[in-house]
């Protein structure tokens, strides 16, 4: 092994060039480990001295329901850490035998923490949807080019064309022998706008739509030529924008798939819970994680093969706030610091497995195993477990620290060379002195170092604070806000129960020298006899035997309890209405309830926006950077995109839209509005947490329905019904407008003609007549609408078209009209029978019956006799 001592005789410049390539010595690795361990101890000391860990302990105990009065009830041997930094570690197994005070702890803190967590998770984590979107970043030149309708020409001046779209009118072809169509521009050939691929000489531009060719070029065949239109700069700009939009959507889908595979929603719920309880929640991601996929393939010969593939993909996970140590100088943003540490624990078996993985230094791992588990200390009470459970969990486990920060290239190369993976110029350029690195350290020994996969060097840790704490990266949570109301509640409840226990019984005072129990026992029992001593002074037995009642103050204590609960609502801004509970201020109307709910959720919406700014946006932005650097991601998914983190805003807007979707369903049936009923129904189902594909017809069912499709009566009925409703609405609106105008006219006439009663009455009568006429017109419209609706119902019942229904009704009306005319003629004949001779009377001169003027002709279409009951319409 070559060391620095071997370079003693070489010139300094030569030694400087050779030194980075020397084999690392244990002393070099030890110095690197000590330098990183010093930063870790600095961060631990700064966090401990800030007092935030004490606040976390108080919040944890408040959520569980522990304080000094009931600490002994949580199991024997339960260790407890004092609130003061110099207090000893104490234990209390059980309350004293003579201690009759109440130790009840009503978990007000837990109720508000859970309510805030649930409501915020509902706002931020929508089901079956993502809380972000990615859109393209169009260039300003592309935006301008969208309105440029100049024709694109090749470099040799030949105009280019493209296939015509539906509805486009193709350009007129120039007559044979005429010169080639010139470019529309008067200044020469039009080149593509900036940002568009320029056309190649004699060929179609690279960015031109499919099928674009030079104008006048012959097609593949001379028969049935495809209509073509000029290829414009706007066409190229629109295609480039559409391509960028597709790239953005593909990148959005891939990042969302990474989150789903990592169960991002579950980890985010833990972050929200920590933020509500402790004030801060930490999410780590994206960071490289191994994902194992199993695929079952069926071969052509009938065999089955199982393929197991391990992929490295971005991963996201929750990290406890106690395991994160940021740079003390970071202020309110950990990304402003130079480094950050994450603590983890690993068993000896897990440490030994690291030797089988690439990138770890075997000699350093052997050193760690020889040392055994160690707890890093900084001179304070670091490492003292807060409970016996913590002590048992960490017993026999190694502390593993992950350091994210800067290393010099020589330091990183030293650790990498010791693991057998020396740096190359492709990994880190020779002239780059500082490198963003990730160092793994067990106890205080460096065992691995790699390059940060993000070129920006950003930390994959994101802190979400429930409420900002000035000057600190750690926030204020619901449990901390509730410290005063929780103490008030505990004190009032315990005082009330103590008083109830004392006031439930009586304090009995007995003069043993004045009275004696008949049974010789001084115990108080029912129907007991006592003897008064005749020699005792005094004649009143009340002087020797008295009962004193302790006053009950339950009502007074309940007022304090109510006051504490009201203070809990005010200090947390989480009213009872958001917890599903009602009170004296609960409104009774739907509109007032919506208004109160919106006002009650304002703070939670604000916290939701903070979550988007602190978690969603940086996580998606770093995932996008990871996507750009990942060589396994196709190039068509990479581009210049804009990240929109709108989880909370999207949910609020979606709630408003869901209320309108139900009203749009019947409107979408009218094609005049141009709304697709299928899409409207799909969005409505999504708003109710249904999967639209589960309720849609299958392709086979749609094919069968297309074969046996009935006449389109419902569509016609729906159209006519919509038209009738629209006409009715318009008519009513016209009536309302006319009525208002008439009322105004009447009012003006009354003022103008106050002294002319006759003219005033005449104007009023005219206005009333006009109003009556308008109302009659509206009534006529209503009758017409009823007629149309009845006509449509008749067509539906008889499964015929509307035209067929009108035809049948017209035929029936004509039949009835003919019968009515014939019946009128019969009645006229009967009325004049006394003028006609009897059929039995023989005429003086025999004439043909059809020439006899006194013989009535019998109607040909008249049904003889009276029709049976119920058959008058048919016969």
């Amino acid at each position: 092994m070559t060391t620095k001592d071997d370079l003693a005789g070489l010139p300094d410049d030569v030694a400087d060039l050779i030194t980075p390539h020397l084999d690392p010595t244990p002393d070099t690795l030890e110095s690197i480990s000590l330098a990183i361990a010093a930063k870790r101890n600095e961060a631990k000391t700064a966090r401990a001295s800030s007092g935030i860990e004490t606040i976390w302990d108080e919040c944890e105990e408040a959520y569980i329901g522990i304080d000094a009065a009931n600490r002994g009830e949580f199991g024997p041997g339960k260790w407890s850490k004092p609130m003061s930094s110099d207090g000893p570690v104490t234990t209390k197994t059980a309350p004293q035998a003579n201690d009759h005070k109440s130790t009840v702890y009503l978990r007000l803190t837990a109720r508000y923490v859970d309510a805030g967590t649930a409501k915020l998770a509902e706002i931020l984590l929508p089901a079956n949807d993502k809380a972000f979107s990615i859109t393209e970043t169009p260039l300003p030149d592309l935006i301008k080019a969208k309105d440029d309708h100049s024709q694109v020409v090749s470099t040799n001046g030949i105009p280019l064309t493209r296939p015509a779209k539906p509805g486009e009118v193709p350009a007129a072809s120039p007559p044979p022998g005429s010169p080639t169509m010139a470019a529309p521009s008067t200044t020469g050939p039009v080149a593509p706008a900036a940002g568009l691929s320029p056309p190649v000489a004699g060929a179609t531009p690279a960015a031109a739509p499919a099928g674009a060719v030079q104008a006048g070029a012959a097609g593949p065949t001379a028969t049935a030529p495809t209509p073509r239109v000029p290829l414009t700069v706007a066409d190229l700009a629109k295609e480039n924008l559409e391509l960028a939009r597709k790239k953005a959507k593909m990148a959005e889908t891939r990042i969302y798939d990474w989150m789903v595979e990592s169960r991002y929603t579950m980890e985010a719920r833990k972050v929200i819970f920590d933020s509500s309880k402790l004030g801060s929640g930490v999410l780590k991601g994206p960071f490289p994680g191994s994902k194992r996929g199993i695929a079952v393939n069926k071969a052509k010969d009938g065999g089955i093969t199982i393929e197991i593939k391990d992929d490295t993909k971005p991963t996201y996970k929750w990290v406890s706030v106690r395991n994160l140590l940021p740079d003390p100088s970071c202020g309110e943003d950990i990304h402003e610091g130079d480094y950050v540490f994450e603590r983890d624990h690993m068993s000896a078996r897990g440490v030994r497995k690291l030797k089988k993985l690439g990138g770890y230094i075997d000699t350093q791992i052997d050193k760690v195993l020889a040392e055994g588990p160690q707890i890093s200390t900084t001179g304070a009470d670091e490492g003292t477990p807060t409970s016996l459970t913590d002590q048992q969990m960490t017993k026999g486990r190694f502390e593993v620290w992950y350091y994210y920060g800067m290393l010099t290239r020589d330091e990183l190369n030293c650790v990498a060379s010791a693991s057998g993976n020396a740096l190359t110029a492709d990994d880190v350029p020779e002239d780059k002195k500082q490198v963003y690195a990730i160092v793994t350290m067990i106890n205080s020994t460096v065992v691995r170092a790699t390059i940060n996969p993000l070129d920006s060097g950003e930390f994959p840790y994101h802190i979400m604070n429930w409420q900002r704490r000035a000057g600190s990266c750690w926030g204020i949570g619901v449990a901390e806000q509730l410290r005063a109301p929780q103490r008030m509640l505990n004190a009032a409840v315990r005082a009330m129960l103590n008083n109830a226990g004392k006031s439930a019984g009586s304090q009995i005072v007995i003069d043993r020298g004045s009275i004696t129990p008949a049974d010789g026992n001084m115990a108080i029992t029912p129907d007991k006899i006592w003897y008064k001593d005749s020699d005792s002074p005094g004649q009143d037995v009340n002087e020797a035997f008295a009962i004193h009642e302790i006053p009950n103050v339950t009502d007074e204590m309940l007022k304090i309890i109510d006051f504490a609960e009201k203070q809990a609502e005010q200090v947390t801004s989480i009213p009872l209405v958001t917890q599903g509970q009602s009170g004296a201020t609960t409104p009774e109307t739907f509109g007032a309830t919506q208004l109160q709910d919106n006002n009650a959720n304002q703070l939670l919406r604000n916290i939701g926006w903070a979550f988007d700014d602190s978690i969603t946006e940086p996580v998606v932005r770093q995932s996008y950077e990871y996507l750009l650097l990942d060589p396994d991601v196709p190039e068509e998914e990479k581009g210049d995109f804009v990240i929109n983190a709108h989880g909370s805003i999207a949910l609020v807007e979606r709630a408003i839209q869901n209320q309108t979707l139900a009203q749009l369903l019947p409107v979408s049936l009218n094609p005049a509005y141009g709304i697709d009923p299928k899409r409207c129904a799909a969005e409505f189902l999504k708003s109710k947490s249904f999967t639209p594909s589960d309720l849609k017809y299958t392709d086979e069912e749609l094919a069968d329905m297309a074969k046996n499709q009935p006449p389109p009566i419902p569509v016609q009925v729906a159209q006519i019904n919509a038209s009738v409703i629209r006409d009715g609405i318009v008519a009513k609106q016209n009536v309302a407008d006319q009525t208002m105008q008439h009322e105004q006219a009447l009012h003006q006439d009354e003022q103008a003609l106050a002294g002319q009663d006759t003219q005033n009455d005449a104007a009023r009568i005219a206005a009333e007549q006009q109003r009556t006429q308008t109302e009659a017109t509206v009534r006529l419209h209503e009758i017409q609408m009823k007629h149309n609706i009845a006509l449509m119902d008749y067509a539906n019942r008889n499964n015929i078209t509307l035209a067929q229904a009108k035809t049948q009704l017209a035929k029936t009306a004509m039949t009835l009209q003919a019968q009515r005319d014939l019946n009128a003629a019969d009645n006229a004949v009967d009325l004049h029978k006394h003028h006609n001779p009897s059929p039995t009377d023989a005429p003086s001169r025999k004439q043909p019956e059809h020439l006899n003027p006194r013989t009535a002709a019998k109607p040909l279409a008249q049904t003889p006799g009276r029709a049976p009951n119920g058959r008058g319409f048919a016969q």
Side-chain angles (χ1 to χ4, degrees), residues 791-806:
L791 186 61
M792 290 184 291
D793 291 340
Y794 176 76
N796 284 330
R797 288 196 305 269
N798 293 276
N799 196 21
I800 59 177
T801 63
L802 193 62
Q804 293 173 347
K806 291 181 177 180

Side-chain angles (χ1 to χ4, degrees), residues 31-110:
S31 62
I32 296 175
S33 300
L34 291 176
I36 297 177
K39 294 182 179 180
R40 176 197 62 192
N41 295 338
E42 178 187 8
K44 289 173 67 69
T45 303
R47 195 181 74 177
S49 60
S50 67
I52 191 65
E53 295 179 357
T54 302
I55 295 177
W56 290 343
D57 292 338
E58 293 178 357
C59 294
E60 291 275 10
E61 292 182 348
Y63 182 81
I64 299 173
I66 302 176
D67 63 358
N70 67 347
R71 197 176 303 276
E73 301 175 4
F74 285 81
K78 176 72 176 179
W79 291 87
S80 61
K81 189 175 181 179
M83 298 302 175
S84 60
S85 59
D86 56 350
V89 177
T90 60
T91 180
K92 182 179 180 181
T93 58
Q96 300 294 330
N98 57 355
D99 189 2
H100 300 290
K101 294 183 179 180
S102 174
T103 60
V104 172
Y105 195 113
L106 296 183
R107 297 172 58 209
L108 181 68
T109 301

Side-chain angles (χ1 to χ4, degrees), residues 39-209:
K39 294 182 179 180
R40 176 197 62 192
N41 295 338
E42 178 187 8
K44 289 173 67 69
T45 303
R47 195 181 74 177
S49 60
S50 67
I52 191 65
E53 295 179 357
T54 302
I55 295 177
W56 290 343
D57 292 338
E58 293 178 357
C59 294
E60 291 275 10
E61 292 182 348
Y63 182 81
I64 299 173
I66 302 176
D67 63 358
N70 67 347
R71 197 176 303 276
E73 301 175 4
F74 285 81
K78 176 72 176 179
W79 291 87
S80 61
K81 189 175 181 179
M83 298 302 175
S84 60
S85 59
D86 56 350
V89 177
T90 60
T91 180
K92 182 179 180 181
T93 58
Q96 300 294 330
N98 57 355
D99 189 2
H100 300 290
K101 294 183 179 180
S102 174
T103 60
V104 172
Y105 195 113
L106 296 183
R107 297 172 58 209
L108 181 68
T109 301
R111 188 180 76 183
Y112 277 86
V113 168
D114 294 341
T117 300
K119 189 64 178 179
L120 192 60
E122 178 188 0
I123 294 176
L124 297 174
L125 305 174
N128 301 326
D129 199 358
K130 47 185 174 292
F132 69 95
S133 64
I134 298 179
T135 57
E136 72 282 358
T137 306
L139 299 175
D141 293 335
L142 287 179
I143 299 299
K144 294 180 180 179
K146 288 178 62 178
D147 299 328
D148 188 356
H149 298 285
S150 302
Q151 185 175 8
V152 178
V153 297
S154 62
T155 54
N156 56 5
I158 300 178
L160 302 180
T161 61
R162 60 171 176 83
K165 299 179 181 179
E168 289 184 332
V169 179
S173 301
S178 61
T180 307
M181 181 175 54
S185 175
T186 58
T187 58
V190 180
L196 302 180
S197 301
V200 181
T204 302

Side-chain angles (χ1 to χ4, degrees), residues 260-282:
V260 171
E261 292 178 1
S262 301
R263 306 181 73 179
Y264 171 84
T265 302
M266 180 185 70
E267 302 298 325
R269 291 184 186 276
K270 297 179 183 178
V271 174
I272 295 174
F273 177 73
D274 275 1
S275 175
S276 177
K277 182 176 65 174
L278 304 178
S280 300
V282 180

Side-chain angles (χ1 to χ4, degrees), residues 291-361:
K291 299 293 183 181
R292 170 164 293 188
I294 301 177
V296 179
N297 300 323
K298 187 175 182 180
K300 295 181 179 179
D301 56 357
I304 296 177
T305 60
I306 299 178
E307 182 181 358
I308 300 177
K309 184 179 180 181
D310 292 332
D311 295 332
T312 300
K313 295 182 179 180
T315 309
Y316 313 85
K317 74 170 185 177
W318 159 85
V319 175
S320 173
V321 293
R322 299 181 184 272
N323 292 334
L324 189 69
L325 294 175
D327 184 357
S329 61
C330 68
E332 296 187 11
D333 187 2
I334 64 172
H335 297 280
E336 295 295 330
D338 291 335
Y339 61 85
V340 65
F341 284 90
E342 180 194 353
R343 181 181 63 176
D344 198 359
H345 292 88
M346 189 178 296
S347 64
R349 181 181 180 182
V351 174
R352 285 192 295 268
K353 287 184 177 180
L354 297 178
K355 298 176 66 175
K356 300 180 181 180
L357 302 177
Y360 287 89
I361 306 174

Side-chain angles (χ1 to χ4, degrees), residues 453-757:
L454 300 179
D455 288 345
S456 61
E458 292 188 356
F459 309 139
Y461 299 97
H462 313 281
I463 298 179
M464 185 265 178
N465 293 328
W466 190 268
Q467 184 179 348
R468 172 176 171 265
R469 190 191 302 272
S472 175
C473 63
W474 309 109
I476 302 173
V478 176
E480 185 176 355
Q481 294 172 346
L482 280 171
R483 282 192 297 181
Q486 182 68 71
R487 292 177 182 177
M488 292 167 54
L489 180 65
N490 289 344
V493 170
R494 290 170 180 174
M496 180 184 68
L497 295 179
N498 292 336
N499 172 260
K502 294 177 181 178
S503 61
S506 303
Q507 302 296 320
I508 303 175
V509 180
I510 301 176
D511 185 0
R512 300 176 65 94
S514 300
I515 58 176
T516 303
D519 57 359
N521 187 1
M522 297 297 294
I524 304 297
T525 59
D527 300 331
K528 189 167 184 175
I529 299 176
W530 299 78
Y531 298 121
K532 185 177 184 302
D533 191 354
S534 57
D535 297 335
S536 61
Q539 300 297 325
D540 191 359
V541 70
N542 291 328
E543 298 178 0
F545 192 105
I547 299 176
H548 299 275
E549 300 288 344
I550 296 180
N552 188 290
V553 293
T554 300
D555 294 337
E556 286 74 9
M557 292 297 102
L558 287 177
K559 294 179 180 179
I560 299 178
I561 293 173
D562 292 340
F563 175 72
E565 292 181 344
K566 291 180 180 178
Q567 289 300 310
E569 293 187 64
Q570 295 180 5
V571 299
T572 61
S573 299
I574 305 177
L576 291 176
V577 66
T578 62
Q579 307 176 37
Q581 302 182 24
S582 59
T585 60
T586 302
E588 297 181 356
T589 63
F590 178 73
T593 303
Q594 281 189 322
L595 179 62
Q596 187 183 49
D597 182 70
N598 292 334
N599 295 335
N601 293 330
Q602 284 182 354
L603 175 69
L604 293 179
R605 290 194 186 97
N606 184 58
I607 299 175
W609 295 331
F611 183 91
D612 290 340
D613 295 337
S614 303
I615 301 292
T616 307
E617 193 277 334
V619 166
V620 178
R621 175 168 43 82
Q622 291 185 6
S623 300
Y624 167 60
E625 183 179 356
Y626 194 104
L627 179 143
L628 294 178
L629 298 174
D630 191 351
D632 296 333
V633 176
E635 290 297 326
E636 57 265 19
E637 298 183 14
K638 300 177 181 180
D640 189 9
F641 303 143
V642 176
I643 298 170
N644 302 317
H646 51 74
S648 58
I649 301 176
L651 188 73
V652 174
E653 295 298 329
R654 191 179 299 111
I656 298 174
Q657 294 173 0
N658 291 344
Q659 297 177 2
T660 311
L661 273 176
Q663 303 174 4
L664 287 178
L665 285 176
V667 177
S668 64
L669 298 177
N670 187 358
Y673 293 102
I675 301 176
D676 189 351
K678 294 183 179 179
R679 295 180 182 177
C680 188
E683 292 297 329
F684 178 75
L685 292 175
K686 288 181 182 179
S687 68
K688 301 302 180 182
S689 301
F690 284 99
T691 303
S693 58
D694 296 341
L695 302 177
K696 289 184 178 179
Y697 288 112
T698 62
D699 295 338
E700 294 78 6
E701 292 173 341
L702 290 175
D704 295 339
M705 292 175 60
K707 295 179 182 178
N708 303 322
Q709 187 175 6
I713 299 175
V715 177
Q716 296 179 1
V717 173
Q719 294 175 354
I720 297 176
N721 193 14
S723 176
V724 170
I725 294 175
R726 183 171 62 252
D727 294 342
I729 294 174
V730 173
K732 290 183 179 179
Q733 183 65 33
N734 293 335
V735 171
D737 295 341
Q738 293 178 4
T739 302
M740 183 178 296
Q741 294 175 2
H742 295 331
E743 294 292 343
Q744 293 176 356
L746 287 174
H747 182 67
Q748 294 175 0
D749 292 341
E750 289 177 356
Q751 291 182 345
L753 304 176
Q756 302 177 8
D757 296 339

